[in-house]
Amino acid sequence: IYGAVLGGYSNLAGDETRDTAAAVCAGWNNSALSKYAFVGGGSTNIARAIGSTVGSGVYNWADSNYATVGGGYLNKASGYSAVISGGCYNTVSAHYGVIGGGVRDTVKAPYGAILGGYSNLAGDDATDTAAVVVGGYNNTASGKFSFVGAGRDNIAIAEYTTVSGGLSNRAFAQYSTVAGGYGNDAYGPYSFVGGGQYDTAYAMYSGVLSGYLNRAGDNWNDTASVIAGGWNNRTYGDFNAIGGGKNNITYDRASTVAGGLSNIAGNSTGTDGSYSFIGGGQYNIADGFCSVVASGDSNHANGDWSTVGGGLNNFAYGDFSCIPGGSRDTVQAVCGFATNYSTYVASAHTNSAAFTTSHTIAANQVRAASFSTGTVDFAMDYPEDPMNKILNQYAISSDEILSIYTGSAKLDESGRAVVHLPDYFEKINHNPRIQLVGVGTYEVYVAEKIKNNRFVIGGKPNTEVYWEVMAERTDIHAEIARIQTPVVQEKKGELRGHSIDDDAMIGIYDQIHAKNPQLFQFKTEEGRRVNEELKQETENRELKLEDR
């Protein structure tokens, strides 16, 4: 009834009288076999269901109510209100599904869509609502609201997953995303892979931005770890980060490796190495709690809150220990410090520092081969008013490297007293000089010079005598000091024209000048310039702190 065939050859409008208003416009061997069905033209096309439409093409089927095939070859729209615009061998079996074109594309998801491409799949079954593939080759969007943009062999499996493009990428967990690249996997819920090759975002909220063979997280419990790039980097634990580099690893919580080669931040042995950090370099380990290795080669910050600034083969094992750089330095003690080469602070020597290949021998100590300064001073609380005043004591300077030994003796009935010096005295000293003071009398004298580490005092019997022996040191360290730092030394190289006195005044010049303007003036323009630069830097820093 009300059917029409406007032209063509061997076309059929309606299979029986109830196929109201079926119509075929033109073409050959086309059939409109249901109420309001329509075929525009082409060959061997069939509009089988109510309100179904085939625009043109060859061997196309619109098999469900209100389904549409615009054209093309061997396309089949069998879902309710499904649409295939064109292409060939395409199939839409779900209601409201759409294929824009392409070849051998299939939509099984309700409200799913494939805009084009070859051998793409949108949805595995009727539960995969609104899965979409824009184009490309052999891509699959099989989760609810999943999306594949383009590329080849990409898979978006779970609900709300996305693969934008690339080759052989997979988004497995809900809300996971792979932007592109090759062979990348987003396993964790809400995980992200930006690109690269063979990268894996395994943990929940984890991300790999790019690179090769990187893996963020070991399981879904390793929350929110990130790898920015690089090659074969791994994160294990929560909130960890690797900026780049190669073969870097993080463990525990919030550990970070900024880059470099084969660095490890965090601890895999059960000890807490959370919040550790490595800036770069190679083969460095920061596995203490809040430990830091800034850079360098084969350094190890094992103590909690320990730091290695850089260098080679340095080991900060004590809590709060620090090695700024150098090579083969070791701090075993809590709050220890070492730098230079092969310096060592033992575990029992807390609050100690070692410089210039020295080893500490006690706690609260500074060890160095030599000190160079204008004055050596020692500070302590003033005994009479310890909370309000400081007592400063100063070292005695000399153009000789001396040892001093003191003591007291009492002359016997014969007016003699034998004084025994340490058994090493003559091995490390020569040219000894003896000073004597008698209590209540000046009648005391040296009866026998020093020999075999002893000397004899003579004088009035029963006199108490205070004695002092000064001698020139002959040990190896004294001899080295005489060679390296003679009493009068010529300035050479960069030292020539440079003032050591100026160095000592940088940063304190204004304070000294305010108290005694005549005491000191800079001898060099360099000293004056550096002092002004430091003062300006300090002022700028204070202004920034005020702004904060």
Side-chain angles (χ1 to χ4, degrees), residues 344-346 348-350 352-354 358-368:
Y344 188 88
V345 181
H349 303 159
T350 58
S352 292
S358 299
H359 287 210
T360 57
I361 58 174
N364 302 308
Q365 183 187 68
V366 177
R367 290 279 294 170

Side-chain angles (χ1 to χ4, degrees), residues 374-430:
T375 302
V376 177
D377 57 84
F378 308 90
M380 65 185 75
D381 292 332
Y382 188 73
E384 299 299 321
D385 191 1
M387 294 299 101
N388 298 302
K389 294 182 179 180
I390 296 171
L391 178 63
N392 293 312
Q393 301 285 278
Y394 306 98
I396 299 172
S397 65
S398 173
D399 60 354
E400 297 178 294
I401 303 175
L402 301 174
S403 297
I404 300 176
Y405 303 83
T406 64
S408 63
K410 189 171 183 179
L411 305 184
D412 60 18
E413 296 295 334
S414 63
R416 291 288 188 272
V418 179
V419 176
H420 293 276
L421 297 169
D423 55 8
Y424 54 79
F425 176 85
E426 291 180 299
K427 293 181 180 179
I428 64 169
N429 297 287
H430 72 162

Side-chain angles (χ1 to χ4, degrees), residues 3-60:
V5 175
L6 303 184
Y9 174 76
S10 192
N11 296 308
L12 174 62
D15 198 27
E16 53 187 37
T17 58
R18 66 182 179 181
D19 296 336
T20 307
V24 177
C25 284
W28 175 70
N29 198 35
N30 298 306
S31 301
L33 303 179
S34 187
K35 186 185 298 186
Y36 314 119
F38 175 82
V39 177
S43 173
T44 320
N45 299 304
I46 300 175
R48 192 183 303 275
I50 297 172
S52 59
T53 300
V54 177
S56 186
V58 180
Y59 293 115
N60 297 305

